[in-house]
């Protein structure tokens, strides 16, 4: 083990060679840094002759935030690797294989998924993924069930949750999702055309009350080991395979947060579609697929979670008739509220999504933000009284039907 330093390309090659039984001793390896560069380095090390490669991800001790440096614990690399290992054990075909790592160097070595597409980009490019809802619904149900008090011994769960105390990364979520968008915060980031909408968010007490309740759940409800940042930029896809990466925000939190993250990002793409679809028929087709996929994500999650509970539940009291239904209703309502918070923050908060910000046509870009905020506010305000995922689909369709009226 050596002390922490950000890897050079040569360091990454040397480390890759030390992984047992991967590259041949005499292999001539190439290396490139392929990360987005804000929080982590991502190296792809390859032996082109043998067509073998792996990924080394290394955490940096800071995040670049609006030109400044925001210190971040390197322990998040351990948390990310240990979460990936648990997720891979539970859903091997939905998570990259882990080949090794080092806590002090803050690195994880994993399967190279270069043949896959980051889902956010795939959606922007107009692709649809017919197995996605089943895959991600099953991923969330399985990883969350087996790390919860329903699916694992409660004392083991307490010890496990101690390994996933992740204060620095939780603070990012607490600030950027559950606080800044609702006040005139320095870290907010929005275009001037959206200022009137942002100011409405700052004054909306009904909205603030719901956000305070959701924030409380994020702060206090250690239901299961969450991925913690399950947006479409953390999901690799092909037409028939799905792989979840990047759980550095993993911690014990409320189950609805992960499902809400997926649904929020599908809704953001839904709001963005007029900027990406060439004609009305394509627009309708893609939007219909996105709404069906939102329903599918929830339904596959619910079906798998209930099935695991019935077959593998470890808690005798959780078998009490009626409890499972109340539990699922709570998760649905949390999911909808969290999805709303995640939509809103991508429009007025620090970090945005390419689905909306890279729309070329200015009117479409503006309209996408207005539609997203309309949907996001509705989700946050109505989440606590919702009883079915169909309501989310209705609200999104209703927001789309208003388009044009408020450009
Ligand atoms: P960050 O936490 O900095 O967002 P990610 O884990 O999302 O890092 O990785 C950043 C980028 O690096 C991804 O968008 C992807 O392009 C690439 N990448 C990460 N992991 C892999 C992998 N296992 N295989 C191929 N590319 C990867
Ligand atoms: Mg990422």
């Amino acid at each position: 083990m050596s002390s922490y330093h950000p890897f050079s390309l040569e360091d990454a090659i040397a480390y890759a060679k030390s992984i047992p039984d991967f590259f041949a001793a005499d292999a001539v390896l190439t290396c490139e840094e392929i990360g987005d560069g804000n929080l982590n380095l991502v190296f792809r090390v390859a032996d082109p002759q043998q067509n073998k490669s792996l990924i080394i991800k290394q955490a940096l001790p800071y995040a670049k935030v609006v030109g400044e440096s925001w210190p971040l614990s390197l322990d998040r690399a351990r948390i990310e690797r240990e979460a990936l290992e648990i997720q891979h054990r539970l859903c091997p075909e939905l998570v990259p294989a882990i080949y090794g790592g080092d806590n002090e160097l803050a690195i994880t070595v994993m399967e190279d998924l270069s043949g896959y597409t980051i889902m956010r980009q795939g959606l922007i490019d107009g692709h649809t993924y017919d197995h996605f809802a089943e895959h991600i619904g099953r991923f969330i149900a399985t990883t969350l069930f087996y790390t919860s008090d329903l699916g694992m011994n409660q004392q083991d769960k307490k010890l496990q949750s101690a390994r996933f105390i992740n204060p620095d990364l939780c603070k990012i979520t607490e600030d950027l999702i559950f606080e800044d968008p609702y006040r005139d915060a320095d870290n907010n980031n929005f275009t001037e055309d959206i200022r009137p909408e942002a100011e409405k968010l700052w004054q909306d007490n009904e909205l603030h009350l719901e956000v305070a309740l959701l924030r409380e759940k994020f702060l206090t409800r250690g239901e299961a080991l969450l991925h913690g940042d399950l947006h479409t930029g953390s999901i690799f896809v092909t037409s028939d395979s799905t792989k979840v990466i990047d759980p550095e925000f993993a911690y014990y939190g409320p189950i609805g947060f992960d499902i809400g993250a997926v649904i929020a990002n599908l809704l953001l793409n839904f709001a963005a579609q007029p900027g990406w679809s060439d004609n009305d028929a394509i627009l309708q087709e893609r939007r219909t697929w996105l709404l069906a996929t939102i329903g599918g994500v929830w339904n596959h999650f619910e079906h798998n979670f209930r099935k695991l509970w019935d077959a593998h539940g470890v808690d005798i009291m959780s078998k009490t008739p009626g409890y499972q239904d109340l539990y699922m209703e709570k998760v649905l309502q949390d999911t909808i509220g969290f999805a709303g918070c995640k939509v809103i923050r991508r429009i007025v908060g620090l970090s945005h999504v390419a689905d909306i910000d890279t729309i070329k046509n200015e009117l479409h870009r503006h309209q996408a933000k207005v539609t997203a905020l309309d949907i996001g506010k509705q989700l946050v305000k109505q989440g606590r009284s919702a009883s079915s995922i169909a309501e989310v689909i209705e609200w999104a369709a209703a927001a789309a039907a208003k388009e044009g009226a408020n450009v």
Side-chain angles (χ1 to χ4, degrees):
M1 207 148 67
S2 61
S3 62
Y4 180 81
H5 57 281
F7 269 10
S8 63
L9 300 182
E10 292 71 29
D11 292 333
I13 289 181
Y15 196 84
K17 282 192 166 164
S18 75
I19 300 294
D21 304 324
F22 199 87
F23 292 118
D26 58 353
V28 180
L29 301 182
T30 62
C31 181
E32 53 183 331
E33 206 275 313
I34 59 168
D36 317 327
N38 267 352
L39 281 78
N40 303 287
L41 299 171
V42 180
F43 299 95
R44 180 171 185 269
V45 184
D47 174 355
Q49 295 246 293
Q50 296 297 319
N51 211 8
K52 284 193 91 171
S53 54
L54 52 71
I55 296 290
I56 299 180
K57 179 169 175 181
Q58 182 178 42
L60 291 166
Y62 53 83
K64 282 182 221 136
V65 182
V66 281
E68 283 173 50
S69 226
W70 184 331
L72 280 183
S73 147
L74 291 173
D75 188 44
R76 72 186 197 276
R78 176 193 62 77
I79 288 177
E80 174 169 354
R81 186 174 61 255
E82 292 187 7
L84 277 171
E85 280 166 350
I86 291 172
Q87 291 159 352
H88 186 264
R89 178 167 53 73
L90 293 169
C91 294
E93 73 285 13
L94 298 174
V95 181
I98 303 303
Y99 302 145
D102 185 306
N103 291 345
E104 191 150 342
L105 290 168
I107 62 173
T108 297
V109 186
M110 69 185 119
E111 183 181 348
D112 180 16
L113 300 170
S114 295
Y116 285 67
T117 304
I118 290 288
M119 180 153 179
R120 186 181 306 291
Q121 191 58 50
L123 292 179
I124 289 173
D125 293 339
H127 299 294
T128 54
Y129 299 95
D130 289 338
H131 302 287
F132 173 76
E134 192 273 313
H135 288 166
I136 211 73
R138 179 156 48 86
F139 170 84
I140 298 172
T142 310
T143 57
L144 301 194
F145 175 79
Y146 280 113
T147 58
S148 77
D149 290 299
L150 300 164
M152 80 183 282
N153 172 277
Q154 290 95 34
Q155 275 53 53
D156 292 343
K157 179 214 161 200
K158 289 175 183 62
L159 294 173
Q160 175 152 287
S161 64
R163 284 170 37 216
F164 291 97
I165 300 290
N166 199 353
D168 287 10
L169 285 276
C170 283
K171 179 166 169 55
I172 293 180
T173 304
E174 289 153 21
D175 289 0
L176 300 190
I177 300 183
F178 294 114
E179 182 180 326
D180 292 350
Y182 305 98
R183 62 188 185 93
D184 187 5
D186 287 346
N187 272 334
N188 284 336
N189 168 26
F190 51 82
T191 45
E192 274 311 303
D193 59 307
I194 284 303
R195 175 167 291 277
E197 297 294 329
E199 288 179 354
K200 279 190 223 157
L201 293 175
W202 302 340
Q203 328 262 303
D204 190 337
N205 280 326
E206 186 194 345
L207 189 70
H208 291 193
L209 177 60
E210 297 305 322
V211 174
L213 290 167
L214 290 159
R215 180 178 159 88
E216 178 196 315
K217 286 175 189 265
F218 184 84
L219 289 167
T220 62
R221 284 254 184 174
E223 292 172 350
L225 178 61
L226 304 190
H227 177 284
D229 195 23
L230 197 51
H231 58 85
T232 46
S234 299
I235 303 174
F236 268 122
V237 282
T238 66
S239 57
D240 53 12
S241 175
T242 306
K243 302 265 186 191
V244 175
I245 61 165
D246 199 11
E248 69 186 319
F249 285 73
Y251 88 113
Y252 262 81
I255 287 175
F257 191 76
D258 274 355
I259 319 164
V262 174
I263 289 175
N265 281 271
L266 294 169
L267 287 169
L268 286 160
N269 188 270
F270 175 91
Q273 271 308 328
W276 298 106
S277 300
D278 289 338
N279 62 52
D280 204 51
I282 293 178
L283 175 65
Q284 296 315 326
E285 193 183 314
R286 290 187 186 156
R287 281 188 151 173
T288 301
W289 181 83
L290 286 161
L291 294 185
T293 301
I294 288 168
V297 170
W298 171 263
N299 290 332
H300 284 288
F301 161 76
E302 181 177 11
H303 171 75
N304 281 285
F305 200 86
R306 284 183 184 269
K307 204 171 72 178
L308 289 169
W309 186 326
D310 293 340
H312 302 288
V314 297
D315 185 350
I316 290 169
M317 289 307 288
S318 79
K319 310 271 178 181
T320 307
Y323 177 59
Q324 191 184 95
D325 288 345
L326 287 173
Y327 191 101
M328 297 314 290
E329 182 183 59
K330 170 200 68 175
V331 174
L332 175 75
Q333 292 172 350
D334 291 355
T335 293
I336 295 172
F338 288 134
C341 292
K342 284 183 158 270
V343 167
I344 291 171
R345 73 89 161 225
R346 294 293 193 181
I347 308 302
V348 298
L350 178 68
S351 172
H352 289 204
V353 291
D355 313 51
I356 290 183
D357 279 24
T358 64
I359 293 173
K360 291 209 175 58
N361 178 302
E362 203 175 319
L363 283 179
H364 281 153
R365 202 165 58 240
H366 173 76
Q367 177 66 67
K369 295 175 189 181
V370 172
T371 302
L373 284 175
D374 189 5
I375 297 172
K377 284 192 282 190
Q378 183 95 334
L379 265 54
V380 173
K381 288 185 179 176
Q382 310 292 333
R384 209 150 47 94
S385 54
S387 59
S388 136
I389 197 67
E391 291 171 60
V392 172
I393 293 167
E394 274 165 34
W395 298 330
K402 283 194 253 165
E403 278 167 1
N406 47 10
V407 179

